[in-house]
Amino acid sequence: MQHTRKSGDQDEIKMFPVQIEKIYLDEKAEKDWGTQHLLKSLPDVPVERVEDKKNLIKQFLSITDPIGMGKRNLLITHFYGRRLKPCPGTSRHICCGYYVINAISNCPMDCSYCVLQGYLNNPFLTLYTNWDELLLEIEGFLSLVRTPLSRLGTGELSDSLAMEPLFPVSGFLASYFAERENGILELKTKSANVDPLLPLNHRGRTVVSWSLTPESLIGEEESGTASLNERIDAAKKCQEAGYPLGIHFDPMIDYVAWEKGYEELVDFLFSRIDPKRIIWISMGGFRYPAKLKGIAEKRFPKTRMFLGESFPGRDGKIRYLKAIRVEMYRKMVKWLREASPDLFIYLCMESREVWKEVFGWSPENSQHLNQLFEERVKKFIGR
Amino acid sequence: MKIIHKIPFQQIALLDETFSINFMPDLQSLRSSIKAVGLIQPVLLRKKGDQYQIVCGFRRISVLKELEIREVESRVLGESERNELELFSISLHENLTSRGFNSVEKAITLYKLVHHFQIEPSAVIQRYLPLFSLEPNEKILGTYLSLAEMEDEAKRYVLKEEVSRSNIRRLATLSSDDRRSLLSLIVPLKLGENRLREMLTLLDEIKRREQVIIKEVIDRPEIQAILAQKEFTPIQRTERVKRVLMDLRYPKMRHMEEEFEKKRKELNLPSGVSLHHPPYFEGNGLRIEFQFESVDEYRAILSSLSLLADKEEFREMIKV
Ligand code: SF4
């Protein structure tokens, strides 16, 4: 595949959420197009060549805030092993049958609640430059998979577009998916870095999605992300460029003024975005593995994320009390349906009971939800 | 070898604590020893103006004074023989070899090194933390510096209850007023490390949820009523205070528990039968447990359970 993009736009790079302090370059990745593009985009950042990645990672893990430090230091390397995996989902809950692509790990933005803080054992913002091998893996997967339309996305171990001005792997994947018939790509972001996507011939095979939170929480809990206004502006640009849009109210956060905050958020969204261009909307109450709280509160002593009434669920994750989640989801569904009755709304990692209490019905199981997605996508992209 | 002088107490600056690293010293054995054989080791003083500053021997001097002895055998350093940091270092090493330090004394020492003697924190970490067998890192230094800044009352609690470093860090996040109120709550309780952590976390979260100060939480009548109950043991008091804090921290959960309990009572279940909601009300379904000792009892329970289905309260409970 040809990599024909120009070197990074300086304005976009200025908007980058952190100052990159150093680039650690694995020799194997040196000649790759993605590496060259990145080095050209960051000409003033010192580069150190690395022979022993494991040792470098070990050294970093022993410093005071490896997570914060990792966000300011890039590691450019190759990924070995499987990079395409079923979304881990969660046991005893309904999952949507999504596949995650690991193209970047870690994220330059710094949300207080980000699960990556407790999850990654390599703290570096790591860019994998062996894109051609990635495409081979995706190709292999799509040729074997039985489902008529698979959904794949890169927003699991990073934000899909936060690095795009420097490392345009999402644009590269969007061009690839434009030529595929049985796969659809989702790019999930809290950034506004969409300009590189706009000129692409995506054929509606890439969904650009935003995770949305009331503005006051963005300021308090989502450091380095785009403001609500910027996100919606970016979504509007993508809408105009013909991309299907996805909206994720995830994590939904229980705070004193949540009703007002989320109602205004829905109003604001539909004052700018055409609901008919939204392919799906998800909702997921804030949930987290038990060890995240200690890690996050140490890094963000002022965070209010862990002040809700949360308890361990059947999958071991900590969630808001069911009654709270159900109330939040129901109200959201009401506001969303008032704006547009035909929206495709689903719950992320919830049980059948909760689905039933919110919608009055529930998918039979994860497979059933997956089928509903397929129907939705077919209808939406006109297949 | 320095000559030994007998220096009268009036000439010693007893309130000058520049080189002191004592906190709640245990003087009992020293007192017995001095009573039995007198002072074995002379103290070390420094001439300062027309007085003497104590460098080593604060505890010995304090015991001698208590025993109404009027003078103390001392070795005396000239005013400019050594600089202050060197003298502090002598005091530190003398104490290290003779008795060891409790955690507050470690904190005081480190605090003086950083704030009084202006030694760079990085140098304190590298040079002094290992002397106390502490890992040389910023976090540990930060913990001890914050302990040094706490009120004596809090320091005493830390020592007496052997509070861990992670709980010291939690205590350090509180304002001085909040810490004082907290002590009024926790001193009469029986808290191990884990219970103390739980209490501190609950109080901190209630404070931040309700945007109040800790004193307001502790002054609540339901907590004060527990503290006032003289017949409770410390363990009973601890359990009750924890229950109140849990209810304040998780009000919706408390409300659901209360509603469930109310309906459960209305069912008039036979004795030996208990009814449970799913853990944290996650998921649906109720669980009934019963115990019986005879076939008749078993039959009686089953027949009363079979009537539950007709009760409105029971139907409502299933919907929860
Ligand atoms: S944008 Fe996503 S990946 Fe990045 S820090 Fe926030 S939650 Fe984590």
Side-chain angles (χ1 to χ4, degrees):
Chain A
M1 180 132 193
Q2 287 276 310
H3 311 297
T4 51
R5 290 174 39 79
K6 281 195 242 122
S7 67
D9 176 331
Q10 292 304 315
D11 283 343
E12 282 178 352
I13 291 160
K14 261 186 250 151
M15 281 166 50
F16 203 66
V18 286
Q19 180 79 35
I20 300 295
E21 288 170 2
K22 197 162 180 183
I23 298 169
Y24 292 89
L25 177 55
D26 182 344
E27 288 168 347
K28 292 180 198 82
E30 200 159 345
K31 298 207 172 68
D32 295 331
W33 184 87
T35 307
Q36 293 307 317
H37 178 89
L38 182 112
L39 295 179
K40 259 186 241 156
S41 309
L42 294 172
D44 301 326
V45 177
V47 178
E48 182 179 320
R49 287 182 169 61
V50 185
E51 274 176 33
D52 186 352
K53 256 192 318 192
K54 277 195 187 143
N55 196 31
L56 175 75
I57 290 168
K58 212 169 130 199
Q59 277 173 20
F60 251 70
L61 284 172
S62 65
I63 62 172
T64 312
D65 177 19
I67 303 153
M69 196 69 166
K71 288 174 183 285
R72 302 191 297 273
N73 287 273
L74 300 181
L75 173 62
I76 307 182
T77 186
H78 280 188
F79 189 96
Y80 303 104
R82 279 179 64 207
R83 301 167 70 176
L84 176 59
K85 292 177 185 161
C87 175
T90 193
S91 61
R92 307 173 77 166
H93 291 77
I94 292 186
C95 295
C96 70
Y98 192 74
Y99 283 82
V100 296
I101 300 171
N102 186 0
I104 297 176
S105 97
N106 207 341
C107 171
M109 305 193 272
D110 207 1
C111 303
S112 57
Y113 54 76
C114 179
V115 290
L116 297 181
Q117 296 173 100
Y119 181 71
L120 297 173
N121 35 26
N122 159 16
F124 283 95
L125 180 39
T126 305
L127 312 175
Y128 301 110
T129 52
N130 46 339
W131 294 359
D132 290 331
E133 282 165 38
L134 171 63
L135 286 200
L136 281 177
E137 196 181 338
I138 298 173
E139 188 75 47
F141 167 79
L142 290 177
S143 64
L144 289 175
V145 77
R146 296 238 206 88
T147 42
L149 247 175
S150 301
R151 283 165 296 112
L152 298 86
T154 55
E156 179 74 9
L157 292 183
S158 185
D159 181 282
S160 298
L161 293 173
M163 294 300 294
E164 198 63 9
L166 302 177
F167 190 70
V169 67
S170 291
F172 172 77
L173 289 172
S175 302
Y176 167 80
F177 273 86
E179 293 158 19
R180 303 276 99 57
E181 292 305 324
N182 63 339
I184 186 158
L185 174 70
E186 183 178 26
L187 302 173
K188 284 188 196 169
T189 190
K190 290 190 184 99
S191 82
N193 298 332
V194 294
D195 289 355
L197 300 180
L198 302 178
L200 302 179
N201 176 21
H202 53 81
R203 288 186 62 237
R205 294 296 196 274
T206 294
V207 178
V208 192
S209 294
W210 274 267
S211 162
L212 297 182
T213 316
E215 184 71 64
S216 65
L217 294 178
I218 292 179
E220 286 167 21
E221 308 286 355
E222 297 181 348
S223 168
T225 62
S227 69
L228 181 61
N229 215 359
E230 288 165 341
R231 290 184 211 181
I232 303 287
D233 272 351
K236 197 160 178 3
K237 283 189 200 168
C238 286
Q239 173 185 296
E240 281 156 12
Y243 283 97
L245 303 180
I247 298 294
H248 300 287
F249 296 107
D250 193 352
M252 277 192 78
I253 301 168
D254 177 24
Y255 66 111
V256 183
W258 74 264
E259 280 197 60
K260 185 168 178 285
Y262 279 96
E263 189 173 10
E264 284 174 3
L265 178 59
V266 172
D267 285 350
F268 184 62
L269 169 68
F270 292 117
S271 70
R272 309 276 296 281
I273 297 297
D274 178 0
K276 293 203 177 54
R277 295 302 309 148
I278 297 179
I279 187 166
W280 52 63
I281 293 183
S282 78
M283 297 188 295
F286 175 49
R287 58 210 173 271
Y288 56 96
K291 70 173 178 181
L292 180 69
K293 185 180 178 201
I295 298 172
E297 288 190 327
K298 210 170 279 170
R299 297 194 62 236
F300 300 95
K302 292 208 174 111
T303 181
R304 299 181 59 80
M305 289 299 295
F306 302 92
L307 296 180
E309 288 196 54
S310 300
F311 299 93
R314 284 173 291 179
D315 58 353
K317 289 214 172 73
I318 317 267
R319 292 177 162 75
Y320 296 137
L321 206 54
K322 186 174 83 174
I324 296 176
R325 297 185 334 257
V326 168
E327 187 192 356
M328 293 180 88
Y329 296 148
R330 276 186 182 156
K331 294 226 161 108
M332 276 299 267
V333 171
K334 176 175 165 283
W335 299 322
L336 290 165
R337 295 253 187 260
E338 275 166 13
S340 176
D342 306 326
L343 291 166
F344 182 89
I345 307 170
Y346 68 100
L347 300 178
C348 190
M349 292 193 200
E350 281 293 2
S351 60
R352 289 189 66 193
E353 299 106 60
V354 173
W355 273 81
K356 276 191 188 142
E357 286 183 48
V358 174
F359 297 107
W361 69 279
S362 160
E364 291 305 313
N365 45 35
S366 300
Q367 210 181 348
H368 181 203
L369 179 60
N370 203 2
Q371 278 166 15
L372 298 174
F373 264 102
E374 274 169 20
E375 284 160 24
R376 173 66 177 172
V377 174
K378 279 183 201 156
K379 200 167 138 201
F380 201 89
I381 62 177
R383 264 188 51 192
Chain B
M1 188 86 160
K2 288 263 173 209
I3 300 166
I4 296 175
H5 301 268
K6 288 207 168 182
I7 307 289
F9 276 132
Q10 308 91 282
Q11 291 179 27
I12 300 175
L14 295 170
L15 298 177
D16 183 338
E17 299 219 322
T18 312
F19 307 115
S20 164
I21 15 188
N22 285 300
F23 188 82
M24 286 177 68
D26 176 9
L27 300 177
Q28 190 48 48
S29 55
L30 183 61
R31 193 179 292 118
S32 322
S33 147
I34 290 178
K35 270 190 192 161
V37 295
L39 188 67
I40 301 170
Q41 178 88 330
V43 302
L44 182 63
L45 306 178
R46 171 169 85 149
K47 187 89 181 95
K48 195 173 183 196
D50 55 1
Q51 287 232 301
Y52 292 92
Q53 217 178 359
I54 308 170
V55 179
C56 302
F58 283 88
R59 298 178 328 139
R60 279 165 283 172
I61 288 174
S62 145
V63 171
L64 289 169
K65 241 190 122 230
E66 191 190 299
L67 298 175
E68 297 185 349
I69 294 169
R70 306 237 167 99
E71 49 185 23
V72 55
E73 288 182 355
S74 320
R75 282 178 291 146
V76 178
L77 294 166
E79 186 148 10
S80 42
E81 216 176 312
R82 300 283 185 101
N83 68 32
E84 289 212 326
L85 178 58
E86 283 171 337
L87 294 173
F88 187 69
S89 207
I90 292 173
S91 164
L92 170 62
H93 283 277
E94 208 245 10
N95 281 300
L96 269 174
T97 47
S98 61
R99 65 178 175 99
F101 285 62
N102 64 41
S103 53
V104 175
E105 290 170 336
K106 289 177 191 171
I108 295 171
T109 309
L110 296 168
Y111 187 86
K112 284 189 172 177
L113 287 166
V114 173
H115 294 286
H116 184 83
F117 298 106
Q118 306 278 315
I119 301 187
E120 279 297 317
S122 56
V124 172
I125 291 170
Q126 292 312 323
R127 260 189 263 147
Y128 292 92
L129 292 188
L131 287 181
F132 296 128
S133 310
L134 297 171
E135 301 135 65
N137 67 51
E138 242 175 87
K139 186 171 160 187
I140 301 277
L141 177 65
T143 308
Y144 281 94
L145 293 181
S146 67
L147 173 58
E149 286 182 336
M150 287 182 201
E151 315 69 42
D152 281 359
E153 205 185 341
K155 286 180 187 145
R156 276 196 288 276
Y157 182 82
V158 166
L159 273 192
K160 189 165 162 272
E161 301 296 330
E162 296 178 12
V163 175
S164 69
R165 294 204 289 253
S166 58
N167 277 337
I168 292 176
R169 283 192 284 276
R170 288 190 180 91
L171 286 171
T173 60
L174 305 180
S175 70
S176 182
D177 281 351
D178 271 354
R179 218 168 15 241
R180 281 207 182 88
S181 308
L182 174 80
L183 288 169
S184 73
L185 172 74
I186 61 179
V187 167
L189 304 181
K190 182 88 199 107
L191 303 175
E193 261 315 288
N194 290 342
R195 274 276 187 268
L196 177 61
R197 178 173 34 78
E198 259 171 28
M199 291 270 175
L200 288 170
T201 306
L202 284 168
L203 282 164
D204 174 60
E205 293 183 354
I206 295 165
K207 168 184 133 174
R208 293 194 295 137
R209 271 172 69 91
E210 298 188 4
Q211 314 216 336
V212 292
I213 56 170
I214 284 192
K215 186 172 172 7
E216 287 174 77
V217 182
I218 292 172
D219 284 350
R220 292 178 76 113
E222 56 272 47
I223 292 186
Q224 288 305 316
I226 297 168
L227 295 180
Q229 280 284 358
K230 293 282 174 279
E231 61 271 27
F232 287 161
T233 64
I235 293 178
Q236 287 172 324
R237 217 176 272 139
T238 303
E239 287 311 314
R240 283 174 165 79
V241 168
K242 188 186 158 197
R243 186 68 251 161
V244 174
L245 293 178
M246 288 290 286
D247 288 349
L248 292 171
R249 170 63 183 85
Y250 299 103
K252 196 150 212 154
M253 179 61 133
R254 182 195 54 183
H255 178 74
M256 290 174 71
E257 296 270 16
E258 280 172 359
E259 287 297 299
F260 185 86
E261 194 47 31
K262 210 161 83 191
K263 290 198 187 104
R264 198 186 60 78
K265 279 202 180 121
E266 283 164 8
L267 294 178
N268 286 322
L269 294 169
S271 71
V273 176
S274 58
L275 180 63
H276 307 269
H277 58 71
Y280 310 111
F281 294 98
E282 189 66 42
N284 288 343
L286 301 175
R287 186 164 53 85
I288 288 180
E289 274 177 17
F290 56 88
Q291 209 176 340
F292 50 91
E293 284 176 8
S294 64
V295 172
D296 286 347
E297 211 181 328
Y298 173 70
R299 280 208 184 99
I301 289 174
L302 284 191
S303 86
S304 96
L305 289 183
S306 69
L307 301 176
L308 282 181
D310 301 326
K311 296 195 177 177
E312 193 52 38
E313 299 83 8
F314 186 68
R315 286 158 184 265
E316 274 176 32
M317 286 170 99
I318 289 179
K319 271 193 253 151
V320 169

